[in-house]
Amino acid sequence: MYWTSPKRGHVPNTNRGLQKRWTANSSRELSDRTGWPEHMVTKVLFLLKDRGFIGWHSRKFGGKKKRHMWMNWNVIRSAWKNN
C-alpha cells in the first residue's frame, strides 16, 4: 500500500492498459526495501494475487521487465468487512 499511495504511486496511463495507481518493483527490489528474503517476497506476492488483493502486469520499466502492481481496494474492503 505504501508504494501505491497517492504520494508515491504512478498515475494510471489508460493508453498503456493501467487503470489504477501502480508501482513497478521486482521481487529483488522489494526484498531490499523490506528486508525479507526474495523467495518470500515472491511467495507473498503470488498469495496476495491469488486471493485478489493485488494485481499486476509484467512490463518493461527502466529497461528491465518488472511487475506493475496495484491494490484491489474493493476486494480488500470486502475481506475487511467479512472479518
Side-chain angles (χ1 to χ4, degrees):
M1 291 184 335
Y2 173 81
W3 287 292
T4 60
S5 71
K7 291 182 181 179
R8 291 176 176 75
H10 296 280
V11 176
N13 183 342
T14 54
N15 296 331
R16 300 207 49 202
L18 296 168
Q19 305 297 323
K20 302 173 183 171
R21 190 168 291 278
W22 57 275
T23 186
N25 287 294
S26 66
S27 292
R28 179 178 296 276
E29 289 169 329
L30 288 172
S31 172
D32 291 343
R33 292 177 180 176
T34 62
W36 289 14
E38 187 176 346
H39 74 278
M40 182 63 84
V41 169
T42 301
K43 183 177 180 177
V44 169
L45 289 175
F46 275 95
L47 179 69
L48 290 170
K49 185 177 183 187
D50 289 346
R51 293 189 178 178
F53 295 128
I54 65 170
W56 71 66
H57 292 296
S58 293
R59 299 172 186 246
K60 283 200 171 190
F61 187 77
K64 296 181 183 179
K65 192 171 183 178
K66 295 185 183 182
R67 290 182 188 106
H68 286 64
M69 298 178 282
W70 59 86
M71 307 295 294
N72 290 326
W73 292 109
N74 291 334
V75 175
I76 293 168
R77 273 189 217 96
S78 178
W80 181 264
K81 287 180 182 179
N82 292 332
N83 283 327

